[in-house]
Amino acid sequence: MTQVSGHWLEDRAAQALLSALEAGGAKAYFVGGCVRNALLGLPVTDLDIATSARPEAVIGAAKALGYKPVPTGIEHGTVTVVGGGSVLEVTTFRKDVETDGRHAVVAFSESLEEDAARRDFRMNALYADRAGKLSDPTGGLADIAARKICFVGAPDERIREDYLRILRLFRFAAQLGFGPEAIDPDALLAAARLSYGLRHVSTERITAEVLKTLGAAHPLKVLGALQGSGVLVRVLPGASLPVLQRFVMLGGSATPVARLAALMAFAGHLPLRLSKKDRRLFDMLRRFAWSAESAAELAYREGAEVAQSAVVLRAALCGGEPSFAGLDAAGKAQFPLVAKDFPELEGKALGDALKQAEQRWIGSGFTLSREALLDEK
Ligand code: ATP
Ligand code: MG
């Protein structure tokens, strides 16, 4: 196979930018996840472009087309180009010159082969030109055909340059649906041997990989390999796979944060950096699972979906079958009173009265009518 196709290849902004860069005498290709996923028949979610043009030239070409260049990682040669409804990550060809184990230190390059050599996995070093014609400088196509994940070059060396690649190895095995058997045995050994190096990697980067791994359709086998290789305990001490296993088996939510709450149900501390919204959900699910709080009340306050996750997590921890009875109705229930129903009250007294009435109403299974609540007031 020397050709790739798909809607993503026809992306107007990408096509215009690739043409403009080529017209300026540069080489320019689609690269990374879009090419890999298209070859695997998986959805393409973002467009990465590699070019021999320097970042200033990329910025100039984007502006000339009326697109907005954002220098998101300009020191590493990355410019994000926004326009025509598309977001393109455009990175100048690079070669590794030096490394500190956290970030590869890179220099710009004119050569596609050099650029391929500094990428992590062979299947991630596939390039497609504007017409979809492939360049495969490292043997990524054969890996894709065999569903194998192999480093470009020696695993030990590549991991020492950037220890995050350990987690990316497992993440792709899960996300692409390959399973742990796809991981090259030498890469797995190197990952196990060098897992201590993950302590040099920023929490943000680790968090992103962990969440992507957990978001895979079937992450359990890969997580088992992650544990077996001693990597899991480095990034998530206290993680409990059996709880996550039961959570998945009982039909728990596939959202990464819900799965994380199950995985970390016994852990004291979560050494990841979640967004505020995710952190709130994580804390809520764990608190609920260990408490005697009412699932219906949680559904009323946070929605039926959150309550379902919480109920499944509780069952995964404490045994028994999860029951979703009444959660949908509770999720839609509307408290019938408002502040105006208490014209004689204001400030804290008003807040307290509303809260008390709301508790009575929740206690009644959301059935007490407005009139009944006002009668009792
Ligand atoms: P997806 O976007 O689906 O997560 P992707 O392969 O596009 O997958 P990105 O993180 O967007 O992953 O990175 C784009 C490309 O950049 C990769 O395919 C790979 O070639 C290269 N790359 C990303 N991170 C690293 C890294 N830590 N070391 C080496 N190469 C990397
Ligand atoms: Mg990508």
Side-chain angles (χ1 to χ4, degrees):
M1 205 184 327
T2 52
Q3 187 74 26
V4 71
S5 60
H7 278 311
W8 60 276
L9 191 69
E10 313 304 328
D11 182 276
R12 284 261 291 283
Q15 283 289 337
L17 188 69
L18 291 185
S19 301
L21 292 170
E22 282 177 9
K27 298 175 208 154
Y29 302 89
F30 293 96
V31 70
C34 54
V35 182
R36 179 197 67 224
N37 284 15
L39 288 166
L40 286 164
L42 296 172
V44 168
T45 48
D46 62 17
L47 296 178
D48 295 303
I49 289 170
T51 178
S52 60
R54 296 297 160 98
E56 314 79 65
V58 173
I59 289 172
K63 281 188 179 157
L65 288 165
Y67 301 151
K68 187 169 181 242
V70 188
T72 40
I74 198 137
E75 65 286 6
H76 315 296
T78 302
V79 177
T80 302
V81 175
V82 185
S86 304
V87 179
L88 314 168
E89 289 269 304
V90 188
T91 304
T92 301
F93 284 167
R94 300 179 297 189
K95 58 180 171 200
D96 283 348
V97 286
E98 182 195 323
T99 163
D100 62 2
R102 266 167 278 196
H103 293 289
V105 180
V106 295
F108 296 138
S109 162
E110 299 284 321
S111 147
L112 181 143
E113 285 73 21
E114 280 179 343
D115 186 70
R118 66 96 195 157
R119 291 185 181 268
D120 47 7
F121 307 113
R122 300 195 298 224
M123 62 174 189
N124 284 350
L126 285 161
Y127 300 73
D129 72 8
R130 252 170 347 109
K133 188 167 158 291
L134 290 172
S135 298
D136 177 17
T138 67
L141 276 175
D143 284 357
I144 284 186
R147 294 168 78 84
K148 281 260 155 240
I149 306 176
C150 300
F151 278 102
V152 174
D156 271 79
E157 242 171 70
R158 302 315 310 281
I159 290 175
R160 278 184 219 280
E161 286 166 7
D162 177 3
Y163 289 96
L164 186 75
R165 290 172 186 161
I166 294 173
L167 295 186
R168 289 177 63 87
L169 182 65
F170 291 92
R171 187 256 281 195
F172 286 117
Q175 202 179 38
L176 303 176
F178 286 7
E181 52 282 4
I183 299 175
D184 166 50
D186 287 342
L188 190 61
L189 276 176
R193 201 165 44 235
L194 298 172
S195 62
Y196 64 87
L198 277 162
R199 68 175 189 277
H200 298 304
V201 179
S202 78
T203 312
E204 287 79 1
R205 297 180 81 210
I206 290 179
T207 301
E209 292 300 325
V210 166
L211 292 179
K212 282 183 180 168
T213 308
L214 287 171
H218 304 287
L220 289 171
K221 279 193 185 162
V222 168
L223 288 167
L226 201 62
Q227 184 174 54
S229 61
V231 178
L232 187 62
V233 69
R234 299 263 182 207
V235 286
L236 293 175
S240 167
L241 265 183
V243 178
L244 178 60
Q245 218 156 5
R246 283 200 295 278
F247 182 78
V248 171
M249 263 169 30
L250 291 168
S253 159
T255 56
V257 183
R259 285 177 169 176
L260 185 67
L263 187 63
M264 299 303 279
F266 291 120
H269 164 71
L270 179 72
L272 300 182
R273 181 144 314 151
L274 299 182
S275 69
K276 253 199 176 138
K277 184 165 161 266
D278 283 352
R279 180 79 217 194
R280 186 168 172 274
L281 179 61
F282 176 86
D283 288 340
M284 193 159 35
L285 291 174
R286 286 211 317 180
R287 201 198 54 236
F288 178 90
W290 291 112
S291 77
E293 281 167 42
S294 129
E297 179 166 351
L298 187 66
Y300 160 62
R301 296 197 186 283
E302 304 292 341
E305 225 171 284
V306 170
Q308 286 193 9
S309 295
V311 164
V312 176
L313 181 53
R314 188 183 272 170
L317 275 172
C318 310
E321 285 292 313
S323 161
F324 303 139
L327 295 187
D328 273 338
K332 290 187 198 122
Q334 290 280 344
F335 181 49
L337 300 189
V338 290
K340 271 200 241 144
D341 293 315
F342 298 85
E344 71 283 13
L345 298 178
E346 56 186 22
K348 181 172 176 328
L350 172 61
D352 288 349
L354 275 167
K355 253 194 212 143
Q356 271 176 22
E358 190 186 31
Q359 274 309 326
R360 279 207 311 280
W361 173 73
I362 293 170
S364 76
F366 314 101
T367 57
L368 277 181
S369 67
R370 193 182 132 76
E371 291 68 32
L373 285 164
L374 287 172
D375 272 354
E376 283 180 33
K377 131 179 151 180

